[in-house]
Amino acid sequence: MPFDHEAVVGFAKSFGLFYLLGLSAICLAWTYWPSNKKGFDEAAKMPVLEEEDRPWR
Amino acid sequence: MLADFTRGERTGALVILGTMVVLGLAMAIAGRHDLLGIHGWIVFGISLALTFGAIRQLDLPEPSPERLSEYYDAPTRTGLILTLIWGVVGMGAGFWVAALLAWPEMTFDVSWLSWGRLRPIHTSGVIFGFGGNALIATSLHVLQRTTRARLPDALSPWFVLIGYNLFCIIAASGYLMGLTQSKEYAEPEWYADIWLVVVWVVYFFIYMRTLARRKEPHIYVANWYYMAFILVVAILHIVNNLAVPVSFGSAKSYSLFAGVQDAMTQWWYGHNAVAFFLTAGFLGMMYYYLPKRAGRPIFSYRMSIISFWGITFMYMWAGSHHLHYTALPHWVQTLGMAFSVVLLVPSWASAGNALLTLNGAWHKVRDDAVLRFMALAAIFYGITTFEGSFMAIRAVNSLSHYTDWTVGHVHAGALGWVAMITFGSLYSLVPSMFKRERIYSQKLVEVHFWLALSGTVIYVFAMWNSGVIQGLMWRTYDETGTLSYSFIDSLVAMHPYYIARAFGGLLFLLGALTALFNVIMTIRMPAIGMAPEARGDLPAEPVMQAGE
Amino acid sequence: MRVYTPLEVAGRNIYLREGCYACHSQMIRTLRDEVDRYGPYSLAVESSYDHPQLWGSKRTGPDLARLGNKYSDAWHVTHMNNPRDVVPESVMPAYRWLLRDQLKTEDLGDHLRAMRAVGVPYTDEQIQFAAQDAYGQANPDSPEASGVAERYGEATNIRTFDGRTGPLTDMDALVAYLQMLGTLTDVAHTSETAEVE
């Protein structure tokens, strides 16, 4: 396959689409995976916790 | 500064400074017949002054091991002050160039006072000076608090902060002398660009090394945004600035790209500078300081993740909407338009997430001007991203492009979103960073808020009006099929709006000056823990509440 | 497409130095009113030697893509010296220093060589005679002038751009650049132009 304008356009219009759909699917699955919920809920509290203002090590 | 350094770090600092002295001298000699030489002397002078300062502090006792049980906030403190100083410089230059468009005689026959040389001082001053220092200062704070790890060392954050500000000084002084690559928001010449790459790599490694020491397994989402900012800005900066210098003794270089490829590269850079410098970084700020100030966790953590990946994927493709109807291939324009429209989804997810976090804490927004700054920032972020997606539509762009509407859009984002979230975060950060009980004057924060809001509204409305009028006048035909207005007719119609815009900018500048004064007075207050009698003549506790 | 003469390169660098691109675009879009106002829409080939391009993003002043030879040299000199002498409503700064400042030409060969490194097809001869050609282009009666037409074509503007012979000023270079804009190729005027939206 020659590396010219048409080839790049063809690649962008085909694999580009699948790449984007695939990444979106992975991202959504990871975000809504039930076992991840607990970690996210804890992470969300991170800025508001008034812990001792010191590094742990 | 050097008191915080270990023996090894002090040696490291001297080696770096010594190298910079030599580099500065080499630039000065190689560029003796060129403006590059002046920059060489500037680098030489600053490095030499820092070297002398370092040598004088070399024999200070080593820092106590107890420091490791505290966060390292000294670079953040300096960064916050630099943020405000650059803010005043950049916004001052902005006010001045705005006034020049209404009263052009104020150039006074001085080349470096002319519009074209001052304008990049405004744009770089606010984006890189004000915005960049704010991002470095807050990112180092957020990074340590959310990982519960101290910065890995004391030398590298100072290298980043000082090195970055040296870049800003080289950039700004270069513009005055007429040194520019002419690529908007990437104006500094090749040697400044190389220097920024070095600084930026060290910045990225600070982030990675601190993350590696974290306690929490999960990395808080604010850090994702900050890291996307650092990583993508590095890629954009390197690619868009690829150039061949005329010689090692010349400041001038020629871009590797030409014509349509260069236009695409430049606006890929330009739009992602908006996306990753002015959006991702400041979203990182918002996702930490807004929940913290409101005392409520973010409304939906999952939504913040979705909008993170949405923004990271899609902004990359949106740049070509700056080139509608140009010689850029049509399908590339369409691609940019499509991604720009879809970008509304992750953008509004973030804006909505912020506002829903505040839902239930509106009384705090009413009473606390600091939180109100952040709430308003989220609202302006929502407005600006909607407007941006709208303007990226080809048919809309045919009217808006090349007009003041674009300028109005940018300032709705820059003043309403970037500066407001920065001021909100800064006010909430300053008392704890300087170990003061509170900000010097809550009343002045209130004054600043209303100056900032009214300045932004006046500015944006003036530019919306002038932009739409301009766009319509350029395309109006009379009944004989000829254009109704000459270009100069449209320029004359702009005059009242240019005055209004300068006035709006002046209000915003006065707000920034208020902030600088307030922060300086806060620092001059006695630290927490000092005896009450030592506190001297301080104003009474603020009693005014909004709405009184 | 001919390449820029050394004097035009110097003028283009002054255009960059003064930040002209922040107020003037050099890209006529494929829109009817733009074609009626400024001329045939810009083609990709017309900026293919532009490192970097100067398409611009804002028109505080008008587009300049087809400015070349639209006004006289004297008009440009007066306009640069004080725009309000010829356009009373103008908000452009007065660039009085352009007539005062001597143009630096001795390193123009290095500039051409750097441009060749990024892909502009300059010949060895063009690089070798860069400084001389810059002088010749603005001094039509000098012996240096003939080489300019020889190396860059008969269509090249060879005139006393700032109205004075002898040493070159920044004004010479900038006016030479502006008077060339849109004239490097006539393909936009002759080709079968596609429909305008």
Side-chain angles (χ1 to χ4, degrees):
Chain A
M1 194 173 76
F3 186 73
D4 59 7
H5 180 76
E6 289 305 317
V8 174
V9 174
F11 183 79
K13 286 181 179 176
S14 54
F15 286 89
L17 181 68
F18 293 122
Y19 148 83
L20 226 87
L21 288 174
L23 279 179
S24 309
I26 293 169
C27 170
L28 282 169
W30 184 71
T31 310
Y32 285 98
W33 207 260
S35 63
N36 283 343
K37 186 178 182 343
K38 195 166 158 284
F40 291 154
D41 287 344
E42 272 170 30
K45 293 194 198 103
M46 216 178 267
V48 285
L49 286 179
E50 283 300 332
E51 285 181 68
E52 196 188 1
D53 198 24
R54 281 178 191 289
W56 75 294
R57 68 168 188 192
Chain B
M1 183 198 307
L2 230 58
D4 303 335
F5 286 16
T6 61
R7 189 73 42 208
E9 286 173 335
R10 286 176 200 187
T11 316
L14 280 182
V15 170
I16 294 169
L17 286 171
T19 314
M20 285 170 61
V21 169
V22 173
L23 275 176
L25 202 59
M27 276 166 70
I29 293 168
R32 65 195 176 282
H33 301 304
D34 192 271
L35 292 172
L36 178 71
I38 296 174
H39 271 161
W41 289 119
I42 290 177
V43 173
F44 176 76
I46 291 176
S47 324
L48 199 65
L50 288 170
T51 310
F52 279 126
I55 290 172
R56 274 173 51 196
Q57 295 183 35
L58 209 55
D59 292 328
L60 290 176
E62 282 219 56
S64 76
E66 279 165 35
R67 77 186 190 285
L68 297 176
S69 65
E70 285 179 0
Y71 295 118
Y72 190 46
D73 291 328
T76 300
R77 282 194 284 275
T78 309
L80 290 173
I81 297 167
L82 287 167
T83 301
L84 284 170
I85 292 172
W86 277 110
V88 169
V89 170
M91 292 170 201
F95 165 67
W96 189 255
V97 292
L100 275 177
L101 286 180
W103 302 287
E105 293 299 345
M106 292 196 301
T107 307
F108 307 122
D109 198 17
V110 179
S111 61
W112 53 268
L113 273 181
S114 64
W115 200 92
R117 297 202 194 180
L118 289 180
R119 190 255 185 181
I121 299 227
H122 164 55
T123 52
S124 290
V126 291
I127 298 172
F128 300 115
F130 173 72
N133 274 302
L135 287 171
I136 292 173
T138 57
S139 67
L140 296 180
H141 175 256
V142 171
L143 173 65
Q144 295 183 84
R145 296 318 188 276
T146 51
T147 56
R148 296 202 61 205
R150 185 186 154 94
L151 294 179
D153 68 308
L155 176 59
S156 58
W158 282 110
F159 174 77
V160 170
L161 191 68
I162 294 172
Y164 181 76
N165 280 280
L166 179 64
F167 166 79
C168 292
I169 289 170
I170 294 288
S173 57
Y175 304 152
L176 291 178
M177 298 188 284
L179 294 179
T180 170
Q181 295 189 118
S182 88
K183 292 190 157 197
E184 284 185 82
Y185 324 116
E187 290 95 344
E189 274 291 357
W190 59 276
Y191 48 97
D193 292 334
I194 294 172
W195 174 245
L196 186 63
V197 172
V198 175
V199 169
W200 217 250
V201 168
V202 175
Y203 186 20
F204 184 69
F205 275 103
I206 293 177
Y207 235 90
M208 297 308 288
R209 285 158 68 207
T210 312
L211 281 176
R213 293 150 50 89
R214 72 185 185 275
K215 184 185 186 187
E216 307 285 343
H218 183 83
I219 301 171
Y220 185 66
V221 71
N223 290 313
W224 302 19
Y225 282 99
Y226 277 123
M227 273 174 57
F229 145 66
I230 300 170
L231 193 64
V232 178
V233 166
I235 297 168
L236 300 168
H237 173 77
I238 292 171
V239 174
N240 192 40
N241 285 302
L242 290 173
V244 173
V246 169
S247 71
F248 286 113
S250 170
K252 172 76 189 160
S253 66
Y254 287 93
S255 167
L256 190 62
F257 309 106
V260 69
Q261 285 88 355
D262 184 54
M264 188 61 247
T265 311
Q266 158 60 21
W267 289 110
W268 166 76
Y269 167 89
H271 200 74
N272 284 302
V274 175
F276 289 90
F277 207 101
L278 297 178
T279 302
F282 291 89
L283 280 173
M285 217 183 259
M286 186 190 83
Y287 276 116
Y288 182 79
Y289 292 103
L290 187 137
K292 175 127 190 125
R293 188 74 181 186
R296 303 159 64 84
I298 194 77
F299 170 74
S300 166
Y301 196 81
R302 283 170 161 172
M303 198 149 84
S304 72
I305 295 174
I306 303 257
S307 72
F308 172 82
W309 288 112
I311 282 172
T312 328
F313 285 163
M314 285 187 277
Y315 256 116
M316 276 290 159
W317 304 92
S320 55
H321 70 221
H322 287 255
L323 300 168
H324 281 325
Y325 298 104
T326 67
L328 185 78
H330 198 262
W331 72 270
V332 187
Q333 300 175 20
T334 310
L335 184 75
M337 173 168 83
F339 274 100
S340 306
V341 172
V342 183
L343 261 171
L344 187 61
V345 175
S347 302
W348 273 27
S350 278
N353 214 348
L355 293 175
L356 287 167
T357 305
L358 296 174
N359 198 16
W362 294 113
H363 61 287
K364 288 189 186 171
V365 178
R366 184 194 64 204
D367 296 343
D368 178 11
V370 176
L371 192 58
R372 214 176 317 126
F373 262 116
M374 300 193 212
L376 197 70
I379 293 170
F380 266 104
Y381 180 62
I383 295 172
T384 311
T385 48
F386 173 78
E387 190 189 21
S389 295
F390 182 62
M391 289 168 80
I393 298 169
R394 201 188 273 112
V396 180
N397 199 268
S398 76
L399 180 83
S400 74
H401 194 52
Y402 294 133
T403 74
D404 286 319
W405 188 354
T406 311
V407 182
H409 167 64
V410 169
H411 283 82
L415 304 178
W417 154 240
V418 172
M420 299 266 189
I421 194 71
T422 302
F423 285 129
S425 306
L426 189 132
Y427 280 127
S428 73
L429 197 50
V430 160
S432 70
M433 280 294 99
F434 290 95
K435 303 211 166 29
R436 300 296 184 270
E437 215 168 282
R438 58 183 173 78
I439 201 86
Y440 167 72
S441 165
Q442 192 64 33
K443 243 181 211 166
L444 281 178
V445 179
E446 197 68 49
V447 168
H448 180 193
F449 176 82
W450 291 107
L451 280 172
L453 176 58
S454 49
T456 306
V457 170
I458 291 171
Y459 190 110
V460 171
F461 271 89
M463 291 293 94
W464 276 340
N465 274 295
S466 69
V468 173
I469 291 172
Q470 234 172 356
L472 290 176
M473 283 178 88
W474 291 346
R475 58 161 62 173
T476 303
Y477 284 86
D478 62 17
E479 57 281 1
T480 63
T482 46
L483 290 163
S484 296
Y485 301 101
S486 68
F487 190 90
I488 206 74
D489 290 337
S490 73
L491 184 72
V492 171
M494 297 305 103
H495 188 66
Y497 301 110
Y498 284 173
I499 293 174
R501 180 254 294 267
F503 179 67
L506 177 64
L507 294 184
F508 206 88
L509 171 66
L510 290 176
L513 283 165
T514 313
L516 182 61
F517 174 76
N518 210 352
V519 167
I520 290 172
M521 294 309 284
T522 306
I523 297 169
R524 291 182 60 180
M525 294 190 338
I528 294 171
M530 282 183 69
E533 57 268 24
R535 290 189 171 200
D537 208 15
L538 278 179
E541 288 288 309
V543 286
M544 198 197 83
Q545 305 256 304
E548 275 185 24
Chain C
M1 273 292 284
R2 80 153 164 88
V3 293
Y4 293 128
T5 65
L7 190 64
E8 289 158 5
V9 167
R12 191 172 194 274
N13 289 338
I14 291 165
Y15 186 98
L16 263 67
R17 181 185 82 193
E18 304 299 348
C20 306
Y21 59 86
C23 287
H24 295 281
S25 58
Q26 289 186 25
M27 172 47 64
I28 302 167
R29 296 182 292 170
T30 55
L31 297 166
R32 180 185 161 206
D33 60 290
E34 301 219 348
V35 172
D36 284 348
R37 189 180 294 279
Y38 300 115
Y41 58 77
S42 301
L43 303 177
V45 65
E46 292 179 280
S47 50
S48 54
Y49 294 148
D50 284 5
H51 296 266
Q53 43 73 36
L54 294 172
W55 291 11
S57 61
K58 177 71 175 60
R59 284 180 187 153
T60 304
D63 187 275
L64 302 181
R66 308 216 177 278
L67 181 69
N69 294 331
K70 223 177 214 177
Y71 300 87
S72 68
D73 293 345
W75 185 92
H76 279 295
V77 173
T78 314
H79 184 244
M80 287 296 158
N81 211 45
N82 183 20
R84 281 155 292 285
D85 286 349
V86 281
V87 186
E89 305 90 345
S90 171
V91 297
M92 192 170 113
Y95 293 97
R96 297 198 179 91
W97 53 90
L98 294 177
L99 265 180
R100 288 198 299 262
D101 294 349
Q102 294 278 311
L103 184 72
K104 190 178 163 189
T105 56
E106 63 272 16
D107 61 349
L108 278 173
D110 294 335
H111 284 256
L112 264 49
R113 196 174 293 113
M115 288 174 79
R116 184 160 76 176
V118 292
V120 184
Y122 281 109
T123 62
D124 290 338
E125 204 191 353
Q126 284 170 328
I127 291 171
Q128 188 191 339
F129 292 102
Q132 189 184 317
D133 286 347
Y135 181 83
Q137 196 183 350
N139 289 282
D141 298 328
S142 69
E144 288 88 348
S146 59
V148 181
E150 203 177 292
R151 279 183 279 277
Y152 295 92
E154 291 298 330
T156 310
N157 294 323
I158 301 174
R159 303 196 290 253
T160 59
F161 295 99
D162 69 353
R164 297 180 300 199
T165 51
L168 301 179
T169 62
D170 282 1
M171 185 71 87
D172 275 316
L174 186 61
V175 173
Y177 172 67
L178 295 175
Q179 292 290 40
M180 166 282 311
L181 285 175
T183 64
L184 292 183
T185 168
D186 55 3
V187 65
H189 295 268
T190 54
S191 67
E192 201 58 41
T193 45
E195 88 284 8
V196 171
E197 286 180 56

